[in-house]
Amino acid sequence: MTESRVAVVGLGYWGPKLLRNLVTMLGPSRVVAVEAHEERRREHAAGFPGVQFEECYGTVLDDPTVAAIVVATPVETHGLLARQALEAGKHVLVEKPVAGSSDEARELAELADAKGLVLMVGHTFLFSPRVEAIRTLIDAGEMGRLQYVTSSRLNLGIHRPDANVIWDLAPHDFSIVFHLLGEFPVSLHCMAQGVVNPELPDVAFINMTFPSGAVASVSVSWLAPRKVRNTTLVGERSMVIYDDTQADEPVKIYDKGVIVPDSASFGENQLTYRTGSTVAPNIAATEPLMLELRHFLDCTEGGCTLRSDGWFGLEVVRALEASDRSWRGGGVPVAVDAASPTPARA
């Protein structure tokens, strides 16, 4: 019996990385690559001997040996290609964001549920061993109640003509924050500015509130003097700094905090500041993309509960849309009603 195969659609920036990992995991004979541009097909065919390369998407949609499709094309095509794959009975992993609108994202999530197929969104940081180390710490109760999170994703460029900096960079931080907090925002406000193009912000500051009372702040920019990938979490019992630019000690746990006295006559002089040790846990250097793809393949075989499903992807898109509405309105607060039927940690 012929083994099922996986198709990668799109060989731009991210597609070749997906292709490399799938070939490593499955072998070239079980991977198909789809790319409309002949020059790209020729270039990558030389680097991946044994992989079948196709020009037309319809070829893999009609191929009964292709059980799953990975979509790595421009954002505006995600919804259409994912829907066509689901309608053809294929499991789908689509790169983030899952679609260009919340209406389209909801339709995809509902279609996948109705057909009993896997729809996974490529929020790769949910599979980062660094993020999972923090998640384990939170789940163990070692941080206590999370009070706030700040996250910064800054760099000089690359300016994209098809998306603003919010849709380009914030999905990473939104997915990390939602995953670690285990909930989705109920409101947000966003200040953004377009320097290079007034209609496409290249810097944005987004503040969110959550049902638990926690707050989060996300800053994204294409106009920064150095690369920053930093997340800070403050809990009742400890604090964590996650710096993804650091090869050594990317996560540090600080036994620090403020002890507030239970007193009717509260005064600043009564505060006690706790300063304990700082720990940098040893974290495996496994590539998150490989873990993401392995999770997807396992879920298509019924071996796991999907971590980053279409409903989670929908919540990210809703936050992106709310951010756009807020900055276009001058930074006004915008309500974000819960849309997912399952919690973030399902």
Side-chain angles (χ1 to χ4, degrees), residues 261-284:
D262 185 12
S263 171
S265 57
F266 175 81
E268 184 179 353
N269 61 320
Q270 296 175 306
L271 291 178
T272 302
Y273 295 90
R274 186 186 72 258
T275 302
S277 60
T278 300
V279 177
N282 184 31
I283 300 174

Side-chain angles (χ1 to χ4, degrees), residues 64-287:
T65 70
V66 174
I69 292 177
V70 180
V71 177
T73 55
V75 174
E76 62 269 20
T77 66
H78 285 184
L80 173 62
L81 298 183
R83 183 169 64 252
Q84 290 175 334
L86 291 169
E87 290 172 344
K90 316 292 187 183
H91 300 293
V92 183
L93 167 59
V94 58
E95 278 308 315
K96 56 82 187 167
V98 61
S101 73
S102 57
D103 287 343
E104 193 172 37
R106 181 187 289 276
E107 290 173 2
L108 293 175
E110 290 175 344
L111 179 60
D113 285 355
K115 287 185 167 290
L117 293 169
V118 169
L119 170 62
M120 179 171 162
V121 187
H123 290 295
T124 311
F125 280 98
L126 270 60
F127 302 89
S128 164
R130 300 171 175 186
V131 173
E132 279 304 279
I134 302 172
R135 165 81 178 263
T136 300
L137 188 74
I138 295 170
D139 288 346
E142 295 186 29
M143 293 192 69
R145 184 178 67 86
L146 285 180
Q147 296 163 330
Y148 76 86
V149 182
T150 64
S151 191
S152 298
R153 190 166 300 271
L154 320 173
N155 205 3
L156 186 58
I158 301 172
H159 280 74
R160 291 179 51 177
D162 61 333
N164 63 37
V165 70
I166 301 168
W167 283 76
D168 182 36
L169 298 184
H172 294 304
D173 301 275
F174 286 170
S175 66
I176 292 170
V177 172
F178 299 170
H179 181 59
L180 293 179
L181 288 178
E183 56 183 347
F184 303 112
V186 293
S187 66
L188 64 76
H189 62 90
C190 172
M191 294 294 294
Q193 180 170 295
V195 176
V196 175
N197 180 346
E199 294 301 313
L200 289 176
D202 35 35
V203 59
F205 307 96
I206 306 159
N207 295 319
M208 298 175 281
T209 59
F210 292 82
S212 66
V215 295
S217 174
V218 170
S219 301
V220 290
S221 177
W222 290 329
L223 285 173
R226 64 184 182 93
K227 183 175 182 179
V228 176
R229 301 286 186 267
N230 186 281
T231 301
T232 299
L233 300 95
V234 173
E236 289 177 316
R237 299 177 184 171
S238 62
M239 306 177 183
V240 171
I241 292 180
Y242 160 41
D243 187 344
D244 203 49
T245 65
Q246 296 298 313
D248 299 322
E249 301 185 351
V251 175
K252 291 185 178 180
I253 306 165
Y254 296 83
D255 181 16
K256 293 185 176 183
V258 177
I259 301 174
V260 181
D262 185 12
S263 171
S265 57
F266 175 81
E268 184 179 353
N269 61 320
Q270 296 175 306
L271 291 178
T272 302
Y273 295 90
R274 186 186 72 258
T275 302
S277 60
T278 300
V279 177
N282 184 31
I283 300 174
T286 311
E287 184 179 5

